[in-house]
PDB file of all heavy atoms in Angstrom:
ATOM      1  N   ILE B1783      24.006  29.141 -28.402  1.00 98.00           N
ATOM      2  CA  ILE B1783      24.365  30.524 -28.723  1.00 98.00           C
ATOM      3  C   ILE B1783      25.405  30.472 -29.826  1.00 98.00           C
ATOM      4  O   ILE B1783      26.318  29.645 -29.777  1.00 98.00           O
ATOM      5  CB  ILE B1783      24.994  31.258 -27.514  1.00 98.00           C
ATOM      6  CG1 ILE B1783      24.141  31.090 -26.256  1.00 98.00           C
ATOM      7  CG2 ILE B1783      25.206  32.731 -27.824  1.00 98.00           C
ATOM      8  CD1 ILE B1783      24.752  31.727 -25.020  1.00 98.00           C
ATOM      9  N   GLY B1784      25.277  31.343 -30.788  1.00 97.00           N
ATOM     10  CA  GLY B1784      26.262  31.401 -31.858  1.00 97.00           C
ATOM     11  C   GLY B1784      27.506  32.181 -31.450  1.00 97.00           C
ATOM     12  O   GLY B1784      27.469  33.010 -30.537  1.00 97.00           O
ATOM     13  N   TYR B1785      28.602  31.868 -32.087  1.00 97.00           N
ATOM     14  CA  TYR B1785      29.822  32.665 -31.888  1.00 97.00           C
ATOM     15  C   TYR B1785      30.470  32.872 -33.245  1.00 97.00           C
ATOM     16  O   TYR B1785      30.170  32.152 -34.209  1.00 97.00           O
ATOM     17  CB  TYR B1785      30.808  31.967 -30.923  1.00 97.00           C
ATOM     18  CG  TYR B1785      31.465  30.746 -31.538  1.00 97.00           C
ATOM     19  CD1 TYR B1785      32.627  30.881 -32.331  1.00 97.00           C
ATOM     20  CD2 TYR B1785      30.949  29.475 -31.369  1.00 97.00           C
ATOM     21  CE1 TYR B1785      33.214  29.764 -32.931  1.00 97.00           C
ATOM     22  CE2 TYR B1785      31.533  28.375 -31.950  1.00 97.00           C
ATOM     23  CZ  TYR B1785      32.660  28.518 -32.735  1.00 97.00           C
ATOM     24  OH  TYR B1785      33.241  27.444 -33.342  1.00 97.00           O
ATOM     25  N   GLN B1786      31.352  33.825 -33.325  1.00 96.00           N
ATOM     26  CA  GLN B1786      32.103  34.057 -34.563  1.00 96.00           C
ATOM     27  C   GLN B1786      33.262  35.010 -34.293  1.00 96.00           C
ATOM     28  O   GLN B1786      33.213  35.787 -33.341  1.00 96.00           O
ATOM     29  CB  GLN B1786      31.227  34.664 -35.664  1.00 96.00           C
ATOM     30  CG  GLN B1786      30.664  36.049 -35.338  1.00 96.00           C
ATOM     31  CD  GLN B1786      29.551  35.989 -34.334  1.00 96.00           C
ATOM     32  OE1 GLN B1786      28.532  35.343 -34.561  1.00 96.00           O
ATOM     33  NE2 GLN B1786      29.727  36.638 -33.184  1.00 96.00           N
ATOM     34  N   PRO B1787      34.298  34.926 -35.134  1.00 96.00           N
ATOM     35  CA  PRO B1787      35.292  35.989 -35.111  1.00 96.00           C
ATOM     36  C   PRO B1787      34.713  37.153 -35.903  1.00 96.00           C
ATOM     37  O   PRO B1787      33.730  36.991 -36.620  1.00 96.00           O
ATOM     38  CB  PRO B1787      36.478  35.368 -35.853  1.00 96.00           C
ATOM     39  CG  PRO B1787      35.852  34.439 -36.837  1.00 96.00           C
ATOM     40  CD  PRO B1787      34.584  33.922 -36.186  1.00 96.00           C
ATOM     41  N   HIS B1788      35.298  38.304 -35.802  1.00 95.00           N
ATOM     42  CA  HIS B1788      34.743  39.461 -36.511  1.00 95.00           C
ATOM     43  C   HIS B1788      35.849  40.488 -36.702  1.00 95.00           C
ATOM     44  O   HIS B1788      36.337  41.055 -35.731  1.00 95.00           O
ATOM     45  CB  HIS B1788      33.595  40.065 -35.694  1.00 95.00           C
ATOM     46  CG  HIS B1788      32.892  41.173 -36.406  1.00 95.00           C
ATOM     47  ND1 HIS B1788      33.135  42.495 -36.133  1.00 95.00           N
ATOM     48  CD2 HIS B1788      31.970  41.149 -37.407  1.00 95.00           C
ATOM     49  CE1 HIS B1788      32.377  43.250 -36.925  1.00 95.00           C
ATOM     50  NE2 HIS B1788      31.671  42.454 -37.699  1.00 95.00           N
ATOM     51  N   GLY B1789      36.257  40.666 -37.954  1.00 92.00           N
ATOM     52  CA  GLY B1789      37.368  41.580 -38.219  1.00 92.00           C
ATOM     53  C   GLY B1789      38.600  41.103 -37.469  1.00 92.00           C
ATOM     54  O   GLY B1789      38.971  39.934 -37.562  1.00 92.00           O
ATOM     55  N   THR B1790      39.191  42.000 -36.674  1.00 93.00           N
ATOM     56  CA  THR B1790      40.384  41.617 -35.919  1.00 93.00           C
ATOM     57  C   THR B1790      40.033  40.993 -34.564  1.00 93.00           C
ATOM     58  O   THR B1790      40.917  40.565 -33.827  1.00 93.00           O
ATOM     59  CB  THR B1790      41.274  42.849 -35.668  1.00 93.00           C
ATOM     60  OG1 THR B1790      40.470  43.802 -34.960  1.00 93.00           O
ATOM     61  CG2 THR B1790      41.759  43.459 -36.977  1.00 93.00           C
ATOM     62  N   ARG B1791      38.732  40.967 -34.249  1.00 95.00           N
ATOM     63  CA  ARG B1791      38.326  40.399 -32.959  1.00 95.00           C
ATOM     64  C   ARG B1791      38.240  38.885 -33.033  1.00 95.00           C
ATOM     65  O   ARG B1791      37.709  38.336 -33.992  1.00 95.00           O
ATOM     66  CB  ARG B1791      36.960  40.938 -32.546  1.00 95.00           C
ATOM     67  CG  ARG B1791      36.909  42.443 -32.316  1.00 95.00           C
ATOM     68  CD  ARG B1791      35.456  42.880 -32.120  1.00 95.00           C
ATOM     69  NE  ARG B1791      35.372  44.298 -31.851  1.00 95.00           N
ATOM     70  CZ  ARG B1791      34.711  45.162 -32.633  1.00 95.00           C
ATOM     71  NH1 ARG B1791      34.107  44.754 -33.735  1.00 95.00           N
ATOM     72  NH2 ARG B1791      34.671  46.441 -32.317  1.00 95.00           N
ATOM     73  N   GLY B1792      38.726  38.234 -31.985  1.00 96.00           N
ATOM     74  CA  GLY B1792      38.602  36.782 -31.914  1.00 96.00           C
ATOM     75  C   GLY B1792      37.179  36.380 -31.553  1.00 96.00           C
ATOM     76  O   GLY B1792      36.339  37.230 -31.225  1.00 96.00           O
ATOM     77  N   ASN B1793      36.917  35.074 -31.619  1.00 97.00           N
ATOM     78  CA  ASN B1793      35.576  34.529 -31.365  1.00 97.00           C
ATOM     79  C   ASN B1793      34.889  35.144 -30.153  1.00 97.00           C
ATOM     80  O   ASN B1793      35.429  35.140 -29.055  1.00 97.00           O
ATOM     81  CB  ASN B1793      35.685  33.020 -31.097  1.00 97.00           C
ATOM     82  CG  ASN B1793      35.913  32.226 -32.364  1.00 97.00           C
ATOM     83  OD1 ASN B1793      35.309  32.528 -33.397  1.00 97.00           O
ATOM     84  ND2 ASN B1793      36.779  31.225 -32.299  1.00 97.00           N
ATOM     85  N   PHE B1794      33.689  35.640 -30.369  1.00 98.00           N
ATOM     86  CA  PHE B1794      32.850  36.078 -29.250  1.00 98.00           C
ATOM     87  C   PHE B1794      31.438  35.550 -29.456  1.00 98.00           C
ATOM     88  O   PHE B1794      31.060  35.163 -30.561  1.00 98.00           O
ATOM     89  CB  PHE B1794      32.860  37.602 -29.096  1.00 98.00           C
ATOM     90  CG  PHE B1794      32.467  38.370 -30.339  1.00 98.00           C
ATOM     91  CD1 PHE B1794      31.129  38.597 -30.663  1.00 98.00           C
ATOM     92  CD2 PHE B1794      33.458  38.896 -31.184  1.00 98.00           C
ATOM     93  CE1 PHE B1794      30.783  39.316 -31.795  1.00 98.00           C
ATOM     94  CE2 PHE B1794      33.105  39.614 -32.329  1.00 98.00           C
ATOM     95  CZ  PHE B1794      31.765  39.829 -32.632  1.00 98.00           C
ATOM     96  N   PHE B1795      30.660  35.503 -28.382  1.00 98.00           N
ATOM     97  CA  PHE B1795      29.268  35.065 -28.475  1.00 98.00           C
ATOM     98  C   PHE B1795      28.379  36.179 -29.013  1.00 98.00           C
ATOM     99  O   PHE B1795      28.589  37.369 -28.716  1.00 98.00           O
ATOM    100  CB  PHE B1795      28.741  34.624 -27.100  1.00 98.00           C
ATOM    101  CG  PHE B1795      29.275  33.294 -26.660  1.00 98.00           C
ATOM    102  CD1 PHE B1795      30.101  33.199 -25.542  1.00 98.00           C
ATOM    103  CD2 PHE B1795      28.946  32.141 -27.362  1.00 98.00           C
ATOM    104  CE1 PHE B1795      30.591  31.965 -25.139  1.00 98.00           C
ATOM    105  CE2 PHE B1795      29.448  30.899 -26.961  1.00 98.00           C
ATOM    106  CZ  PHE B1795      30.276  30.817 -25.850  1.00 98.00           C
ATOM    107  N   ARG B1796      27.376  35.776 -29.785  1.00 98.00           N
ATOM    108  CA  ARG B1796      26.324  36.700 -30.195  1.00 98.00           C
ATOM    109  C   ARG B1796      24.997  36.098 -29.735  1.00 98.00           C
ATOM    110  O   ARG B1796      24.525  35.118 -30.288  1.00 98.00           O
ATOM    111  CB  ARG B1796      26.311  36.855 -31.723  1.00 98.00           C
ATOM    112  CG  ARG B1796      25.191  37.758 -32.227  1.00 98.00           C
ATOM    113  CD  ARG B1796      24.904  37.553 -33.721  1.00 98.00           C
ATOM    114  NE  ARG B1796      24.407  36.198 -33.990  1.00 98.00           N
ATOM    115  CZ  ARG B1796      23.896  35.786 -35.159  1.00 98.00           C
ATOM    116  NH1 ARG B1796      23.874  36.629 -36.180  1.00 98.00           N
ATOM    117  NH2 ARG B1796      23.466  34.549 -35.326  1.00 98.00           N
ATOM    118  N   VAL B1797      24.434  36.686 -28.683  1.00 98.00           N
ATOM    119  CA  VAL B1797      23.105  36.256 -28.226  1.00 98.00           C
ATOM    120  C   VAL B1797      22.069  37.076 -28.976  1.00 98.00           C
ATOM    121  O   VAL B1797      22.141  38.307 -28.993  1.00 98.00           O
ATOM    122  CB  VAL B1797      22.949  36.471 -26.706  1.00 98.00           C
ATOM    123  CG1 VAL B1797      21.491  36.277 -26.280  1.00 98.00           C
ATOM    124  CG2 VAL B1797      23.857  35.515 -25.948  1.00 98.00           C
ATOM    125  N   VAL B1798      21.120  36.394 -29.606  1.00 98.00           N
ATOM    126  CA  VAL B1798      20.046  37.087 -30.308  1.00 98.00           C
ATOM    127  C   VAL B1798      18.780  36.981 -29.463  1.00 98.00           C
ATOM    128  O   VAL B1798      18.294  35.888 -29.205  1.00 98.00           O
ATOM    129  CB  VAL B1798      19.807  36.464 -31.698  1.00 98.00           C
ATOM    130  CG1 VAL B1798      18.695  37.200 -32.424  1.00 98.00           C
ATOM    131  CG2 VAL B1798      21.106  36.476 -32.511  1.00 98.00           C
ATOM    132  N   VAL B1799      18.293  38.138 -29.026  1.00 98.00           N
ATOM    133  CA  VAL B1799      17.120  38.174 -28.153  1.00 98.00           C
ATOM    134  C   VAL B1799      15.890  38.443 -29.024  1.00 98.00           C
ATOM    135  O   VAL B1799      15.551  39.596 -29.302  1.00 98.00           O
ATOM    136  CB  VAL B1799      17.270  39.261 -27.073  1.00 98.00           C
ATOM    137  CG1 VAL B1799      16.082  39.217 -26.121  1.00 98.00           C
ATOM    138  CG2 VAL B1799      18.581  39.087 -26.313  1.00 98.00           C
ATOM    139  N   ALA B1800      15.251  37.388 -29.493  1.00 96.00           N
ATOM    140  CA  ALA B1800      14.157  37.582 -30.438  1.00 96.00           C
ATOM    141  C   ALA B1800      12.900  36.805 -30.064  1.00 96.00           C
ATOM    142  O   ALA B1800      11.795  37.253 -30.355  1.00 96.00           O
ATOM    143  CB  ALA B1800      14.601  37.150 -31.842  1.00 96.00           C
ATOM    144  N   ASN B1801      13.038  35.669 -29.434  1.00 96.00           N
ATOM    145  CA  ASN B1801      11.903  34.822 -29.076  1.00 96.00           C
ATOM    146  C   ASN B1801      10.927  35.616 -28.202  1.00 96.00           C
ATOM    147  O   ASN B1801      11.297  36.090 -27.117  1.00 96.00           O
ATOM    148  CB  ASN B1801      12.454  33.613 -28.310  1.00 96.00           C
ATOM    149  CG  ASN B1801      11.371  32.636 -27.902  1.00 96.00           C
ATOM    150  OD1 ASN B1801      10.180  32.961 -27.909  1.00 96.00           O
ATOM    151  ND2 ASN B1801      11.787  31.434 -27.550  1.00 96.00           N
ATOM    152  N   PRO B1802       9.676  35.764 -28.637  1.00 94.00           N
ATOM    153  CA  PRO B1802       8.738  36.596 -27.861  1.00 94.00           C
ATOM    154  C   PRO B1802       8.380  36.008 -26.497  1.00 94.00           C
ATOM    155  O   PRO B1802       7.802  36.714 -25.667  1.00 94.00           O
ATOM    156  CB  PRO B1802       7.497  36.679 -28.769  1.00 94.00           C
ATOM    157  CG  PRO B1802       7.670  35.645 -29.837  1.00 94.00           C
ATOM    158  CD  PRO B1802       9.117  35.315 -29.919  1.00 94.00           C
ATOM    159  N   ALA B1803       8.722  34.746 -26.254  1.00 94.00           N
ATOM    160  CA  ALA B1803       8.385  34.138 -24.960  1.00 94.00           C
ATOM    161  C   ALA B1803       9.475  34.341 -23.912  1.00 94.00           C
ATOM    162  O   ALA B1803       9.335  33.897 -22.779  1.00 94.00           O
ATOM    163  CB  ALA B1803       8.117  32.641 -25.152  1.00 94.00           C
ATOM    164  N   LEU B1804      10.558  35.019 -24.269  1.00 96.00           N
ATOM    165  CA  LEU B1804      11.679  35.166 -23.322  1.00 96.00           C
ATOM    166  C   LEU B1804      11.326  36.071 -22.144  1.00 96.00           C
ATOM    167  O   LEU B1804      10.540  37.007 -22.271  1.00 96.00           O
ATOM    168  CB  LEU B1804      12.900  35.748 -24.041  1.00 96.00           C
ATOM    169  CG  LEU B1804      13.576  34.873 -25.093  1.00 96.00           C
ATOM    170  CD1 LEU B1804      14.732  35.647 -25.734  1.00 96.00           C
ATOM    171  CD2 LEU B1804      14.073  33.567 -24.489  1.00 96.00           C
ATOM    172  N   THR B1805      11.984  35.774 -21.019  1.00 96.00           N
ATOM    173  CA  THR B1805      11.835  36.614 -19.827  1.00 96.00           C
ATOM    174  C   THR B1805      13.229  36.904 -19.262  1.00 96.00           C
ATOM    175  O   THR B1805      14.220  36.317 -19.703  1.00 96.00           O
ATOM    176  CB  THR B1805      11.031  35.886 -18.727  1.00 96.00           C
ATOM    177  OG1 THR B1805      11.806  34.742 -18.315  1.00 96.00           O
ATOM    178  CG2 THR B1805       9.680  35.418 -19.244  1.00 96.00           C
ATOM    179  N   CYS B1806      13.261  37.771 -18.244  1.00 97.00           N
ATOM    180  CA  CYS B1806      14.534  38.076 -17.586  1.00 97.00           C
ATOM    181  C   CYS B1806      15.169  36.809 -17.018  1.00 97.00           C
ATOM    182  O   CYS B1806      16.400  36.671 -17.007  1.00 97.00           O
ATOM    183  CB  CYS B1806      14.333  39.087 -16.460  1.00 97.00           C
ATOM    184  SG  CYS B1806      13.884  40.716 -17.068  1.00 97.00           S
TER     185      CYS B1806
END
Side-chain angles (χ1 to χ4, degrees):
Chain B
I1783 310 177
Y1785 71 85
Q1786 63 286 301
H1788 185 259
T1790 58
R1791 297 171 178 119
N1793 284 320
F1794 55 84
F1795 286 115
R1796 177 198 64 170
V1797 169
V1798 180
V1799 184
N1801 181 344
L1804 293 178
T1805 64
C1806 291

